[in-house]
Amino acid sequence: MAKRVFADMKLRQKMILVSVVSVALVWIACVGAASSSITEIYRKKLDHIIHQTVEQTSRYVNTEYQNIINLAHYSAVDEGLQGVLTLDVANDRTDYIVAQSVIVPILTQIQLRSEFIDSMGLYLKGTWFYGDNYSMNYDISQRMEAAQSRFLIYWSEEQVLNEGTGNMVLPIIMRIPNGSFSAKNEAYMVININADRMFSYLESLETSLDCYLVIHRDQKVILGDEYLFQHRGDAGYVANANTIHINDWTISCIMDRNLLFEDLNRAMQKMVAVSLAVLFCCVFLAMWVAKTVTNPIYSLMQKVKEFENGDFTVRSHLRGKDEIGELGQSFNSMCTQIEGYIAMLEEEKRQVARVEENKRKAEMRVLQAQINPHFLYNTLDSLYWYSISGKKDEIGQIVVDLSQMLRIGLSKGSEEISVEQELKHVENYLRIQKVIFSDKFDYEIVCGPDVGRYRIVKILLQPLAENSMVHGFADMESMGRIRVRAEIEGSEMVFRVTDNGCGFGSGASSHKSPYSGYAFKNIEERLKLHYGGDAGIRVTSIPYEETTVEIRIRLERMEG
């Protein structure tokens, strides 16, 4: 009877029934197997995590303490410190000042090299010296007595409030030998560890692990809940411990056993819920598979419509070996070819844009490179003659200004620099020329308000100042004047380089002049490349009175 009923079912119904039965059987088997072993696996994994965490924590605390002790040991053998240990600091004011000048910097340096040191002090012959002007405002006498009975170092096991800094501290007292170990000459270094900062790492671990961390020495609790520590062996708790080797302290991790089983039960509930969700998803998946098997043609028609609407990335998911599967693969091949042709056209457009951009950048670099060598040759030639004549001060001034010019000129590869840097660049140039031609000219740099937030393509003004030097003052022995100004006028940034040289003759007017030489052409080409056709140079000239080269750039193109 059952066989006949199954045979009479439709294909979609058969697929759904087989899928549901198969998934249900697998689900029952998996849940049964998991419930028998998950408790032990969970406990072992958690124990491993706790043990690893406690071990890493003890290693962390041990390392930080070891670093602090190493700093103190290295300072204790310092020759300067050993030299002042025998001074009579208690009775001789001069000895006290000498000792203070040696001890206080050492203590301060130790504090600066460790973030966990709250304050430090050094006790020498009844006299205290403190690092970084922080005193230890708590009763240290009992701890000093305990430290004297130890051979080298005493670890305090009780936190105390240092009123000088307002922090809870754990003192460490180190004996500093000077060779004789006599009570009269012996010194002690007190290192106050900021307990809150040192053990903040442990507090974060407590929160993340939902456990309790206790630092103790034998039965003495140094940090943590003393009640939990005393009851850690009870049946309701699980404890794990590790030793901090540098001071024989111990870190114990204590967890409530009920929390372990609570998490386990919660995990089991989640597992059952997830498995049920998977079961229902499989049922719906079986229905979806049956539907896709019976309706492949409809799916392919939908893809064709999407392609007609302009979605060239659409693909058919039919991968069968029957006629419909082959049709779907042919459809995918057609879509891939068309999409490739479109991508090829877009890539060609991007290549053209990149070529044009690279061309523009290459032109900018070539134009800039035309300027730098010309001035560099002249400066190096001047340095050569100064070196022959033995003028060391002038050589030093030229080298400093030249290095600043080169640094601004390189500007880490950037094409633009701030207006202030551009003015600094031309000022370095004029200062070099002033050293070389001390009596030939004077100069002035004027920077208007609010120009500092604007940027400009670099090395524009220096060639204009150089033109004034080389051409404007060519037949003048002295009394030359150069003035460089940068100021905002309305919606434009205006740069003016003015001199009282020979000028451009009667052919120069308020209109653009037919400049000679590459400097002016170079600057004009760079301005047009970077700021457009409305940026350029204008010259006005009255020979031997005032010749001004003016550059105007719209502010909106200089922002940034």
Side-chain angles (χ1 to χ4, degrees):
M1 185 65 181
K3 179 184 280 188
R4 181 180 295 275
V5 172
F6 184 79
D8 293 337
M9 286 183 177
K10 294 182 178 180
L11 178 60
R12 182 181 299 181
Q13 294 173 340
K14 290 179 180 179
M15 294 180 64
I16 294 174
L17 179 60
V18 171
S19 300
V20 170
V21 172
S22 300
V23 172
L25 292 175
V26 172
W27 175 78
I28 294 172
C30 291
V31 171
S35 61
S36 64
S37 59
I38 192 170
T39 302
E40 187 63 23
I41 295 174
Y42 181 82
R43 181 183 291 110
K44 287 182 178 180
K45 184 174 181 180
L46 188 59
D47 287 343
H48 175 72
I49 294 174
I50 295 173
H51 176 76
Q52 189 176 43
T53 302
V54 173
E55 183 179 0
Q56 291 177 352
T57 303
S58 63
R59 195 159 49 234
Y60 165 82
V61 176
N62 186 82
T63 300
E64 297 301 337
Y65 266 123
Q66 186 66 59
N67 291 339
I68 294 172
I69 296 302
N70 288 342
L71 289 174
H73 277 310
Y74 292 145
S75 301
V77 298
D78 183 83
E79 292 183 0
L81 179 60
Q82 288 290 318
V84 301
L85 293 181
T86 58
L87 298 178
D88 187 9
V89 296
N91 300 312
D92 190 320
R93 182 64 177 174
T94 301
D95 286 354
Y96 173 84
I97 294 174
V98 171
Q100 186 182 39
S101 65
V102 173
I103 295 172
V104 171
I106 291 176
L107 298 180
T108 302
Q109 283 298 316
I110 296 175
Q111 282 185 250
L112 292 175
R113 295 179 67 179
S114 175
E115 62 177 336
F116 299 105
I117 297 178
D118 173 80
S119 55
M120 293 189 64
L122 191 142
Y123 181 81
L124 177 61
K125 297 180 181 179
T127 303
W128 280 99
F129 298 88
Y130 301 104
D132 204 25
N133 296 324
Y134 285 122
S135 62
M136 295 178 292
N137 293 340
Y138 62 89
D139 187 8
I140 194 69
S141 58
Q142 293 182 353
R143 292 172 178 81
M144 290 295 297
E145 292 175 3
Q148 291 173 1
S149 64
R150 303 295 177 92
F151 179 73
L152 186 60
I153 188 169
Y154 168 74
W155 299 86
S156 176
E157 298 173 358
E158 294 183 354
Q159 298 185 41
V160 61
L161 176 62
N162 184 3
E163 297 179 354
T165 61
N167 297 322
M168 298 298 293
V169 298
L170 278 170
I172 302 174
I173 303 177
M174 290 182 55
R175 189 178 187 182
I176 302 179
N178 61 0
S180 66
F181 282 91
S182 63
K184 176 172 66 174
N185 294 328
E186 201 165 60
Y188 295 88
M189 183 181 294
V190 179
I191 306 172
N192 291 315
I193 303 300
N194 189 320
D196 293 335
R197 184 173 295 175
M198 174 66 77
F199 300 127
S200 61
Y201 177 68
L202 276 67
E203 296 175 358
S204 65
L205 284 177
E206 284 184 331
T207 303
S208 61
L209 293 176
D210 200 15
C211 68
Y212 306 94
L213 293 174
V214 178
I215 297 181
H216 57 94
R217 181 184 179 89
D218 297 330
Q219 298 300 316
K220 174 69 174 179
V221 175
I222 300 171
L223 177 74
D225 192 322
E226 188 168 358
Y227 175 83
L228 287 175
F229 175 73
Q230 297 300 332
H231 293 80
R232 68 189 185 280
D234 296 349
Y237 296 97
V238 176
N240 201 317
N242 206 329
T243 302
I244 302 174
H245 298 289
I246 191 171
N247 50 16
D248 292 331
W249 291 356
T250 302
I251 295 182
S252 294
C253 179
I254 305 170
M255 292 192 69
D256 189 341
R257 190 178 297 273
N258 292 330
L259 289 177
L260 295 177
F261 288 99
E262 180 182 352
D263 292 340
L264 177 61
N265 294 334
R266 190 182 299 115
M268 289 289 294
Q269 294 172 2
K270 289 182 179 179
M271 185 191 71
V272 173
V274 170
S275 62
L276 287 173
V278 171
L279 178 61
F280 286 113
C281 288
C282 290
V283 172
F284 288 110
L285 180 63
M287 296 174 64
W288 178 82
V289 170
K291 184 177 179 179
T292 56
V293 169
T294 57
N295 297 294
I297 297 177
Y298 175 80
S299 176
L300 184 59
M301 290 176 60
Q302 291 295 110
K303 301 298 181 182
V304 172
K305 289 180 180 180
E306 292 176 13
F307 186 85
E308 289 177 348
N309 293 331
D311 186 3
F312 301 111
T313 62
V314 69
R315 296 292 184 273
S316 172
H317 299 289
L318 300 176
R319 295 292 184 267
K321 295 185 179 298
D322 56 6
E323 291 79 4
I324 297 177
E326 292 178 359
L327 183 60
Q329 294 177 13
S330 299
F331 173 78
N332 291 342
S333 177
M334 178 190 68
C335 293
T336 300
Q337 291 180 4
I338 294 176
E339 187 179 13
Y341 294 145
I342 294 174
M344 187 183 302
L345 292 175
E346 292 178 349
E347 180 62 25
E348 288 179 357
K349 290 174 61 178
R350 288 193 293 269
Q351 289 288 350
V352 171
R354 281 198 293 268
V355 169
E356 292 297 327
E357 178 64 16
N358 291 337
K359 179 181 177 182
R360 188 191 71 82
K361 291 182 178 179
E363 291 174 346
M364 291 293 296
R365 288 193 292 268
V366 169
L367 291 172
Q368 290 177 352
Q370 290 177 347
I371 295 176
N372 294 334
H374 182 71
F375 167 67
L376 185 60
Y377 297 153
N378 294 341
T379 304
L380 292 176
D381 186 64
S382 300
L383 284 173
Y384 170 76
W385 289 108
Y386 273 122
S387 64
I388 292 178
S389 60
K391 296 182 179 180
K392 297 180 179 180
D393 293 339
E394 288 81 357
I395 292 175
Q397 181 64 49
I398 291 175
V399 169
V400 170
D401 289 325
L402 181 60
S403 67
Q404 291 181 354
M405 283 190 65
L406 294 176
R407 186 179 297 110
I408 295 174
L410 292 173
S411 61
K412 299 181 180 179
S414 175
E415 293 182 0
E416 292 184 339
I417 58 177
S418 67
V419 174
E420 291 180 348
Q421 288 178 305
E422 178 68 14
L423 293 175
K424 181 65 176 176
H425 184 267
V426 71
E427 183 179 6
N428 291 137
Y429 167 78
L430 291 173
R431 194 155 49 209
I432 291 174
Q433 300 291 34
K434 181 66 176 175
V435 173
I436 299 174
F437 306 104
S438 59
D439 297 328
K440 189 170 184 177
F441 75 100
D442 288 319
Y443 68 90
E444 179 184 8
I445 307 293
V446 179
C447 180
D450 298 327
V451 302
R453 69 187 183 93
Y454 293 97
R455 297 178 66 81
I456 186 174
V457 62
K458 62 186 178 184
I459 315 179
L460 282 180
L461 302 181
Q462 181 267 332
L464 299 179
E466 183 176 2
N467 187 74
S468 296
M469 289 289 305
V470 175
H471 301 292
F473 301 155
D475 56 352
M476 296 175 61
E477 295 296 329
S478 62
M479 300 301 291
R481 296 189 306 275
I482 298 177
R483 188 183 189 197
V484 181
R485 291 174 293 173
E487 52 197 351
I488 297 175
E489 294 183 0
S491 61
E492 294 180 322
M493 176 75 71
V494 182
F495 300 92
R496 294 185 178 92
V497 178
T498 304
D499 65 68
N500 62 341
C502 62
F504 288 90
S506 59
S509 66
S510 60
H511 301 287
K512 294 181 180 178
S513 300
Y515 310 121
S516 60
Y518 73 84
F520 287 99
K521 293 181 180 179
N522 189 319
I523 293 173
E524 192 161 39
E525 289 173 1
R526 291 168 64 196
L527 286 171
K528 293 183 181 301
L529 279 172
H530 206 79
Y531 300 110
D534 57 345
I537 303 178
R538 185 181 297 272
V539 176
T540 58
S541 180
I542 302 176
Y544 298 104
E545 290 187 17
E546 182 176 275
T547 297
T548 300
V549 181
E550 179 182 279
I551 298 175
R552 288 181 175 268
I553 306 173
R554 292 198 321 215
L555 292 176
E556 62 188 40
R557 298 190 177 183
M558 298 180 63
E559 291 182 348

